[in-house]
């Protein structure tokens, strides 16, 4: 398997965590989104939306969209299930994952931030305010959702898709200097995840395609 990804892309980070939790070995090929490699024709043939990550399966099959990739992995490699098959746990995992992947992340994505600065000519300060505003809205919602949970992770006592989404979102927010001290439940989940090898190995600072600044 090969993961086409960028070291500090949070959507790529989600998939790296999932692969690690399932113990799947894979190769990494860096796609430098800062210089537009995600828009090159060869990449767009694999992933027409022009976003990372893309996972290439053992048969050469290309998979896009991190949540869909993790769902595919969960069905192809059922050990260490990340999306509960049924019941309340399934609903809660998907709800938290969707708040992060559908409500917070897309409006703070690089192409959106670049459009705001390059086309709409907002200042860096305004851009940072935009970013922090949507992080605050989304993280407050996740913090509320975690009140339903009594386990160590987002839902229960083992990591799920929800944790695969939350940790990269928090890492991004910290990189953008957002203050997360108002989200103690999220921070407790962060601590629990930092103790697991799959989360450590998936972190941006541990990627071979890492580039400075
Ligand atoms: N919904 C997509 C989002 C993927 C995404 O937004 N990837 C970002 C990096 S985290 C990207 O490729 N950005 C490039 C750009 O904004 O042009 C997924 O979950 O895979």
């Amino acid at each position: 398997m090969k993961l086409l990804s960028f070291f500090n892309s949070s959507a790529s980070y989600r998939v790296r965590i999932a692969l690690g939790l399932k113990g799947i070995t894979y190769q990494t090929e860096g796609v430098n989104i800062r210089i537009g490699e995600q828009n090159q024709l060869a990449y767009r043939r694999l992933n027409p939306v022009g976003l990372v990550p893309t996972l290439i399966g053992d048969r050469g099959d290309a998979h896009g969209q991190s949540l869909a990739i993790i769902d595919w992995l969960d069905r192809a490699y059922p050990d260490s299930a990340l999306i509960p098959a049924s019941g309340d746990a399934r609903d809660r995992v998907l709800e938290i994952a969707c708040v992060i992947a559908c409500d917070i992340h897309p409006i703070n994505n690089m192409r959106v931030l670049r459009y705001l600065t390059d086309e709409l000519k907002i200042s860096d300060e305004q851009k940072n305010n935009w970013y922090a505003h949507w992080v605050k809205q989304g993280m407050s919602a996740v913090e509320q959702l975690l009140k339903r949970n009594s386990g160590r992770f987002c839902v229960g006592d083992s990591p799920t898709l929800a944790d695969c989404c939350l940790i990269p979102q928090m890492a991004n927010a910290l990189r953008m200097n957002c203050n997360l001290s108002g989200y103690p439940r999220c921070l407790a989940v962060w601590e629990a995840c930092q103790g697991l090898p799959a989360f450590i190995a998936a972190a941006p600072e541990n990627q071979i395609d890492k580039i400075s600044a």
Side-chain angles (χ1 to χ4, degrees):
M1 255 191 227
K2 193 188 329 178
L3 184 66
L4 309 186
S5 60
F6 189 58
F7 76 102
N8 73 358
S9 141
S10 61
S12 305
Y13 191 175
R14 293 172 197 154
V15 175
R16 292 194 299 261
I17 296 168
L19 286 162
L21 287 169
K22 288 183 173 291
I24 301 169
T25 51
Y26 64 98
Q27 298 174 319
T28 297
E29 186 175 314
V31 178
N32 188 342
I33 61 174
R34 290 190 189 147
I35 58 170
E37 288 180 353
Q38 73 277 24
N39 294 315
Q40 287 175 358
L41 199 57
Y43 184 78
R44 282 207 174 233
R45 279 203 192 101
L46 297 170
N47 188 332
V49 76
L51 297 168
V52 292
T54 301
L55 184 66
I56 310 293
D58 290 334
R59 290 175 289 109
D61 39 323
H63 301 261
Q65 292 293 327
S66 59
L67 268 50
I69 294 171
I70 294 171
D71 179 56
W72 174 71
L73 285 172
D74 230 21
R75 283 178 289 115
Y77 301 85
D79 286 353
S80 304
L82 298 173
I83 307 173
S86 61
D88 278 358
R90 177 180 172 82
D91 299 342
R92 290 177 181 193
V93 164
L94 291 175
E95 185 174 5
I96 294 169
C98 287
V99 170
I100 296 163
C102 306
D103 294 346
I104 309 177
H105 178 262
I107 44 180
N108 278 347
N109 198 3
M110 189 187 75
R111 61 185 180 176
V112 171
L113 300 180
R114 283 197 177 165
Y115 189 85
L116 289 172
T117 52
D118 298 353
E119 302 295 327
L120 302 183
K121 307 293 179 198
I122 70 168
S123 66
D124 277 348
E125 187 188 352
Q126 288 173 312
K127 179 190 78 176
N128 293 338
N129 289 343
W130 165 282
Y131 190 99
H133 174 78
W134 296 116
V135 164
K136 189 173 175 191
Q137 296 258 322
M139 289 295 296
S140 302
V142 175
E143 184 71 13
Q144 292 303 311
L145 292 173
L146 291 186
K147 280 188 187 165
R148 300 167 174 173
N149 176 51
S150 55
R152 295 175 56 230
F153 295 93
C154 282
V155 180
D157 278 317
S158 54
T160 64
L161 172 69
D163 304 279
C164 295
C165 291
L166 180 62
I167 298 311
Q169 181 59 59
M170 291 177 73
N172 260 5
L174 292 169
R175 184 163 53 86
M176 293 293 281
N177 299 316
C178 297
N179 180 356
L180 300 183
S181 63
Y183 314 112
R185 291 178 180 81
C186 294
L187 287 169
V189 171
W190 169 274
E191 282 304 317
C193 291
Q194 297 314 316
L196 297 183
F199 284 83
I200 297 167
E205 60 273 20
N206 296 327
Q207 303 315 301
I208 52 169
D209 65 319
K210 179 181 164 195
I211 47 180
S212 52

